[in-house]
Amino acid sequence: MPLDVLGAAIGVAASGPATVTGVTLRASDARHGDLFAALPGTRAHGADYAAVAVAGGAVAVLTDPAGARRPALAGVPLLVHPHPREVLGALAALVHGDPTAHLRVLGVTGTSGKTTTAHLLEAGLAAAGRATGLLGTVGTHIRGSRLPAALTTPEAPDLQALFAVMAEDGVTDVAMEVSSHALAMGRVAGTRFAVAAFTNLSQDHLDFHRDMEDYFEAKAALFDGRAEHAVVCVDDEWGRRLAARTPGAVTVSTGGPAAWRGVDVHTGPDGTQSFTAVAPDGAQLPVRLQLPGAFNVANAVVALACLDAAGVPAAVAAEGFAGVAVPGRMQRIEQGQPFLAIVDYAHKPGAVAALLDALRPQVPGRLIVVLGCGGDRDRGKRPVMGAAAAARAELLIVTDDNPRTEDPAGIRAEMLAGARAEPGAGDLMEIGDRRAAIAAAVASAKPGDAVVVAGKGHETGQEVAGVKHPFDDAAEVAAALGAALQGTR
């Protein structure tokens, strides 16, 4: 793509000739033909690393006026825009041939449920014979091939490159998670959405957003008209507000009036669920899920409504749902033990409460919960998470999650303060070592109990003092179960 054509697309003139064949935000990743996006940051300016990008093969730089004044950019072809991040997505899409013009993209936003809903969408699309892609927290899927993911929603250049690879590989439909960070930072600019869906909103990411209103408005940006169809779960206040301001939104509910409803929910002793989905025309459809929890019924109905909007018959989609299991989301760990063992990604107050409330009816014994909070993130949710878990668990073991650069003991103290202040709280323990905490939970479990290890879910590392160490909750729970069972033989 000629640089002057890219400049014309964003309303600026190129300072010199260049032919662009790729886009990158990371100077160290620059390849021959790339446009390097040198964006202003809170601690440094991307233009300070432009020499690295040019040495790697970058042929031009997108930056702001402050970046353009850096001496290292003298003689380098430039696109200078007052707000380069806002136009980066559109430029990346243009360089990659506008790939989402050739794909049906079904985007899901919300605090909780994005990952599960995206996996349900992928399964429903596949059941209908569509060639599928998936982008989200757990990873990227391209027609069954799996790639790791670093961000819930990749940065705009990486996202458009992935869409281009999917389109080249014959993908027709993509299910993707859309984070509030991605919306606020323009990562999905340049992306065409066939369907946008909203699951719910609860406290999270208030280290990034000013307050809950700011968080809500970031999510609501997905419903500004960029999507052909909108699906909104109205089971919480935020969903009802969003639906009221989104013309033509298809509503979903599991407890009130809506276009799509989930009713007559039945839970099996193993946590599997069946329910009836009621379509806008009144048609009733039986749905079965391996996934436990009332919130997963809501996720499934959101997915049905999205797939219907994308032209997939609900009965076909429901067949695909029956086999869906999501890593780190209500993931059962079975080693022949006489109690339930669950690993889940719940790492915010609302998600912890929903997780434990969903499990309570299935557990005749005690809920034994292992939970921590991440460092360098929203501190306000720590006591609230501690209180949410303490109010529902007979035994709460407060441990470390990803302390990152913070003092782990300080994080635990904030959680414990909330837990101890909760009236009627169960027993509390503090075990900083996460492996030891999991072992202690398993050792204390009796027949009919449930051990719930929450917060990290599918993650395979634990970041302590800025260093990431291998750590997999599912593997640790399995190892603790194996050791405990071996000791009883």
Side-chain angles (χ1 to χ4, degrees):
M1 182 70 62
L3 189 63
D4 58 351
V5 174
L6 293 177
I10 61 171
V12 303
S15 70
T19 299
V20 174
T21 57
V23 185
T24 185
L25 266 172
R26 292 177 291 275
S28 59
D29 290 348
R31 299 179 181 181
H32 180 71
D34 275 354
L35 171 69
F36 172 54
L39 307 182
T42 55
R43 298 180 181 176
H45 199 295
D48 295 330
Y49 305 93
V52 175
V54 172
V59 296
V61 174
L62 166 71
T63 192
D64 64 356
R69 291 193 290 270
R70 298 300 202 270
L73 291 180
V76 178
L78 301 178
L79 295 178
V80 182
H81 191 280
H83 306 289
R85 179 174 282 280
E86 293 180 5
V87 299
L88 179 58
L91 287 180
L94 192 57
V95 169
H96 288 290
D98 194 10
T100 56
H102 312 289
L103 300 167
R104 274 182 296 268
V105 180
L106 289 71
V108 185
T109 197
T111 302
S112 300
K114 295 188 296 296
T115 299
T116 297
T117 303
H119 278 74
L120 289 165
L121 288 172
E122 181 189 35
L125 291 164
R130 307 277 181 89
T132 62
L134 181 141
L135 287 159
T137 307
V138 174
T140 297
H141 302 171
I142 303 176
R143 299 191 71 172
S145 297
R146 296 172 183 266
L147 304 171
L151 299 171
T152 297
T153 310
E155 289 282 5
D158 298 329
L159 179 62
Q160 296 301 326
L162 280 167
F163 283 142
V165 170
M166 289 180 178
E168 288 177 358
D169 203 35
V171 168
T172 58
D173 296 75
V174 181
M176 73 174 293
E177 301 177 46
V178 184
S179 67
S180 61
H181 290 68
L183 288 158
M185 299 175 72
R187 292 179 194 164
V188 292
T191 301
R192 302 168 187 261
F193 288 90
V195 184
F198 175 88
T199 56
N200 52 63
L201 198 77
S202 62
Q203 182 177 337
D204 199 19
H205 302 308
L206 296 189
D207 55 325
F208 179 80
H209 299 287
R210 291 189 305 275
D211 50 31
M212 287 297 292
E213 283 293 330
D214 184 55
Y215 182 31
F216 170 68
E217 291 298 337
K219 296 285 191 185
L222 188 60
F223 302 84
D224 61 4
R226 73 183 75 191
E228 296 175 41
H229 303 279
V231 173
V232 179
C233 182
V234 293
D235 282 344
D236 67 16
E237 169 202 351
W238 303 103
R240 291 188 286 274
R241 283 179 57 185
L242 181 59
R245 64 190 249 184
T246 306
V250 174
T251 55
V252 167
S253 179
T254 57
W260 282 86
R261 294 180 295 128
V263 300
D264 300 329
V265 181
H266 299 280
T267 301
D270 59 353
T272 58
Q273 300 186 95
S274 62
F275 69 95
T276 299
V278 182
D281 63 1
Q284 299 190 4
L285 175 73
V287 182
R288 292 188 60 81
L289 297 174
Q290 287 189 29
L291 306 164
F295 51 86
N296 279 323
V297 173
N299 292 336
V301 184
V302 168
L304 281 175
C306 291
L307 290 164
D308 176 71
V312 176
V316 173
E319 289 179 12
F321 290 0
V324 172
V326 185
R329 272 60 175 182
M330 281 286 204
Q331 182 179 354
R332 294 185 188 81
I333 311 299
E334 295 290 346
Q335 297 282 332
Q337 77 277 7
F339 54 86
L340 189 62
I342 294 286
V343 169
D344 194 85
Y345 191 51
H347 60 282
K348 60 210 78 169
V352 169
L355 168 67
L356 300 181
D357 288 345
L359 289 171
R360 179 77 274 174
Q362 303 169 34
V363 179
R366 299 175 302 157
L367 283 174
I368 302 168
V369 178
V370 178
L371 182 67
C373 281
D376 302 331
R377 298 293 187 270
D378 179 9
R379 291 183 59 181
K381 71 180 183 181
R382 295 171 187 172
V384 187
M385 279 178 64
R392 294 164 173 82
E394 279 73 27
L395 170 60
L396 169 62
I397 302 176
V398 173
T399 189
D400 294 343
D401 188 284
N402 291 307
R404 299 185 176 91
T405 65
E406 281 196 60
D407 173 21
I411 298 172
R412 297 195 301 271
E414 292 181 61
M415 289 186 67
L416 286 163
R420 291 179 177 131
E422 180 64 27
D427 295 332
L428 297 174
M429 293 176 65
E430 179 183 5
I431 303 177
D433 184 296
R434 193 173 181 90
R435 181 173 289 114
I438 290 171
V442 168
S444 68
K446 296 178 173 56
D449 289 349
V451 171
V452 183
V453 180
K456 288 173 59 59
H458 65 283
E459 294 177 358
T460 55
Q462 183 180 32
E463 189 174 341
V464 182
V467 178
K468 186 168 285 189
H469 305 271
F471 199 97
D472 184 326
D473 277 357
E476 295 296 336
V477 172
L481 289 170
L485 292 169
Q486 187 67 32
T488 62
R489 290 172 184 162

